[in-house]
Amino acid sequence: MKKYGFIASLAFAALTAATFTACDGSDDPVVYTEPVVQFSTEQTSFDIKLGETVEITADVQPEGKVYIKWFVDEVLESTTGEFSYTFNEPGKHTISFSAKNGSGEVTRDFTVNVADVFDVELSIGDEDEIEIDQYEYLTVVAIVNSGQDITHSWYLEGNLISNERILEYQMMEPGRQEMRYEGYNSAGSYERTFRVNVKERGLYIEMSYEDDLWEDWIEEDIEITANVIYGGSTAVHEWKLNNTVVSTTNVFFKNFEKDEEGEYTLTYTCTTDTEQFSRTYTIKVWYAWLIDDYESYQAGLVVNEGVIPNFKPGNPDVCTIYSLQDSEKGPLNMSSQVLSQDHPNNVGTSGFIDFDIRSIPKWQKASKLKFLYNNLGNNRDVIARYLSQNDEKGDCTVSAVQVGYDGWQEVEITYDPATMSGMEGFRIRPLNRHIGGPGVDYAKCYMDDVYLCKY
């Protein structure tokens, strides 16, 4: 710190004299005179740099009740004859002096021009390259040793990224990148260039679909995206469907056609220069979902509620599992077992079967219930109604087509998926007796291969 001290003299003579009566009652007068001041300098203007000190001494006579004040920019700084002040703000400043007693006052002003300075360095010292992990924050400080009103600028690969003294910047892209700092004020400037080596983080991928199994109807969009979060600067993507490459982007998309029903293995692989990531899915697409084919049940079993999934016969004693004889099989149905319903002539209503379709994946996209039906030549109609909370809620459209000589028919129950809101499924009466009460004839039917279908 530089100080300014001065040796020079300036005397102020008394201009007037005041006469007062002594307090002790005597006639001898007491004389007071204005202060006489001798400054240590004759200068009234100083040119200094920021952070330097101005010192001035004022020798005030006569001693006694003289009030001394020094002001800097109208702010009182000292009340003695010794003045010392360090200027930390650039610009023009005023030092004002006053010495006052009962006879008068002596004043003087000094002008101080404070020039700014500039001394800046970076917190990284002499390092030419900084190593940091990808997505971490780079922190570098411009250390201001001296100077005011400094403009700071930080550039990454020539692009301005900050005007703050302290740089905090998240390094998103891997690789070596150039960072440049520029700082300046009215007194000087400073520029520094260094490199930042951003090490790429390990490969990390988030899949848009997390389950291992994707089940859906045919002609529905299947889309899976591999979102590379870290480490993908050299990523190569590959999707294989049953070992056939179908995409080399990070997205798999397919709409399976009607003739592509089945099960597929979908494999995704992402390869970089140093790592590899893979994920395998099973994709099942169907045109029809098998609810039951009755092949896994014991022949002759009397079917009671809860024995067969999604199945609830109204008259359990008339529903059994029946093994088809070879003579009863035909082109439409070669099954070993079917559901048999015997309807005696002393029963006023046929049994019913409830199919709860809510457990079937994406059942809302289906529009038909299909099954095979053989009424063994009896003149009986199939009735289907919507089912909600074990109550019938109105008829569905039913169509049956006679196929071949074996008596088997393919029955379709058509519905609008929009009408299924709040519904559980369907109640089927495969052997419906005509209105009018019990008949005199004996009736029997078979039912098999129940599917929920899209079309």
Side-chain angles (χ1 to χ4, degrees):
M1 178 175 67
K2 188 176 295 185
K3 296 183 180 181
Y4 289 80
F6 306 93
I7 302 174
S9 64
L10 178 65
F12 287 87
L15 299 178
T16 60
T19 303
F20 299 92
T21 301
C23 294
D24 58 4
S26 68
D27 294 332
D28 295 332
V30 178
V31 178
Y32 291 91
T33 61
E34 288 185 355
V36 177
V37 181
Q38 182 177 334
F39 291 99
S40 60
T41 178
E42 293 183 355
Q43 283 184 252
T44 57
S45 179
F46 307 100
D47 294 321
I48 66 172
K49 292 182 178 180
L50 191 71
E52 294 181 339
T53 301
V54 173
E55 294 181 346
I56 306 174
T57 300
D59 182 13
V60 181
Q61 297 296 331
E63 297 181 356
K65 292 187 177 180
V66 179
Y67 299 97
I68 300 172
K69 295 180 181 179
W70 295 88
F71 295 86
V72 176
D73 296 332
E74 299 183 353
V75 177
L76 181 65
E77 297 291 346
S78 177
T79 58
T80 69
E82 302 289 335
F83 173 80
S84 178
Y85 187 85
T86 301
F87 287 85
N88 293 314
E89 293 291 334
K92 185 177 180 179
H93 302 273
T94 301
I95 302 173
S96 299
F97 169 81
S98 171
K100 185 178 182 180
N101 64 9
S103 181
E105 180 181 14
V106 175
T107 63
R108 172 167 281 197
D109 287 342
F110 303 86
T111 299
V112 182
N113 296 306
V114 182
D116 206 350
V117 294
F118 184 88
D119 184 8
V120 173
E121 60 181 314
L122 298 186
S123 60
I124 60 174
D126 297 331
E127 292 186 65
D128 292 326
E129 183 170 295
I130 299 173
E131 192 172 88
I132 191 173
D133 289 332
Q134 187 182 17
Y135 303 107
E136 295 294 328
Y137 280 86
L138 172 68
T139 302
V140 184
V141 180
I143 302 172
V144 179
N145 297 315
S146 61
Q148 296 286 336
D149 300 326
I150 298 175
T151 298
H152 305 276
S153 301
W154 300 88
Y155 297 87
L156 179 63
E157 292 294 316
N159 299 310
L160 179 65
I161 59 173
S162 176
N163 289 118
E164 301 296 327
R165 183 178 69 86
I166 300 175
L167 173 68
E168 289 185 314
Y169 188 77
Q170 188 177 23
M171 304 301 295
M172 305 295 292
E173 300 299 326
R176 282 182 168 82
Q177 302 166 53
E178 182 182 88
M179 185 76 71
R180 187 176 80 256
Y181 166 79
E182 295 178 0
Y184 66 91
N185 67 3
S186 60
S189 63
Y190 175 72
E191 181 176 323
R192 173 75 183 279
T193 300
F194 57 94
R195 291 184 304 276
V196 182
N197 183 15
V198 183
K199 297 193 305 180
E200 186 171 25
R201 292 187 59 169
L203 184 62
Y204 178 72
I205 296 177
E206 290 182 352
M207 306 301 292
S208 63
Y209 188 76
E210 291 297 331
D211 294 339
D212 294 330
L213 175 64
W214 185 308
E215 296 179 293
D216 211 336
W217 299 90
I218 51 97
E219 297 182 353
E220 295 291 337
D221 293 341
I222 296 179
E223 182 173 349
I224 304 176
T225 301
N227 297 302
V228 180
I229 308 301
Y230 306 133
S233 61
T234 61
V236 177
H237 306 276
E238 183 180 76
W239 296 86
K240 288 184 177 181
L241 191 64
N242 286 356
N243 292 320
T244 299
V245 177
V246 293
S247 175
T248 55
T249 72
N250 68 318
V251 178
F252 168 80
F253 177 85
K254 186 170 177 59
N255 185 296
F256 288 85
E257 301 295 333
K258 188 173 182 179
D259 59 355
E260 294 180 304
E261 182 181 28
E263 181 175 318
Y264 298 84
T265 298
L266 176 65
T267 302
Y268 166 74
T269 304
C270 178
T271 305
T272 69
D273 291 342
T274 58
E275 297 179 84
Q276 187 176 79
F277 170 87
S278 62
R279 178 69 187 274
T280 300
Y281 297 93
T282 298
I283 295 181
K284 293 181 179 180
V285 288
W286 58 84
Y287 162 76
W289 179 279
L290 178 64
I291 295 178
D292 213 333
D293 60 5
Y294 309 110
E295 293 293 334
S296 60
Y297 301 100
Q298 179 180 350
L301 174 69
V302 175
V303 182
N304 294 292
E305 181 177 350
V307 176
I308 297 179
N310 304 305
F311 176 84
K312 181 183 178 182
N315 296 316
D317 292 338
V318 302
C319 294
T320 61
I321 299 299
Y322 175 77
S323 296
L324 284 181
Q325 305 300 315
D326 289 342
S327 60
E328 297 173 306
K329 299 177 182 180
L332 190 63
N333 193 7
M334 296 293 291
S335 298
S336 297
Q337 296 186 161
V338 296
L339 178 66
S340 172
Q341 183 172 349
D342 294 339
H343 191 74
N345 58 13
N346 61 349
V347 177
T349 181
S350 62
F352 59 84
I353 303 169
D354 288 348
F355 290 103
D356 187 341
I357 64 174
R358 292 175 298 173
S359 61
I360 298 174
K362 302 179 182 180
W363 60 267
Q364 300 93 333
K365 296 180 181 180
S367 62
K368 286 185 179 181
L369 188 74
K370 292 184 179 182
F371 56 89
L372 298 179
Y373 175 68
N374 192 335
N375 63 11
L376 301 179
N378 298 296
N379 185 18
R380 295 291 183 266
D381 299 325
V382 175
I383 291 179
R385 293 189 173 97
Y386 294 116
L387 180 65
S388 177
Q389 298 181 351
N390 203 31
D391 290 328
E392 299 176 26
K393 298 294 183 181
D395 292 345
C396 306
T397 301
V398 179
S399 64
V401 179
Q402 184 76 30
V403 179
Y405 59 88
D406 57 359
W408 284 98
Q409 303 174 37
E410 189 174 75
V411 178
E412 292 185 354
I413 300 169
T414 304
Y415 65 96
D416 181 357
T419 64
M420 290 300 292
S421 177
M423 299 297 175
E424 301 168 2
F426 307 98
R427 175 167 291 173
I428 311 298
R429 295 182 182 272
L431 189 62
N432 180 60
R433 295 187 63 84
H434 293 292
I435 297 174
V440 295
D441 56 344
Y442 174 82
K444 185 177 182 178
C445 72
Y446 299 142
M447 187 175 181
D448 200 9
D449 297 346
V450 184
Y451 287 90
L452 190 66
C453 305
K454 185 171 184 179
Y455 304 113

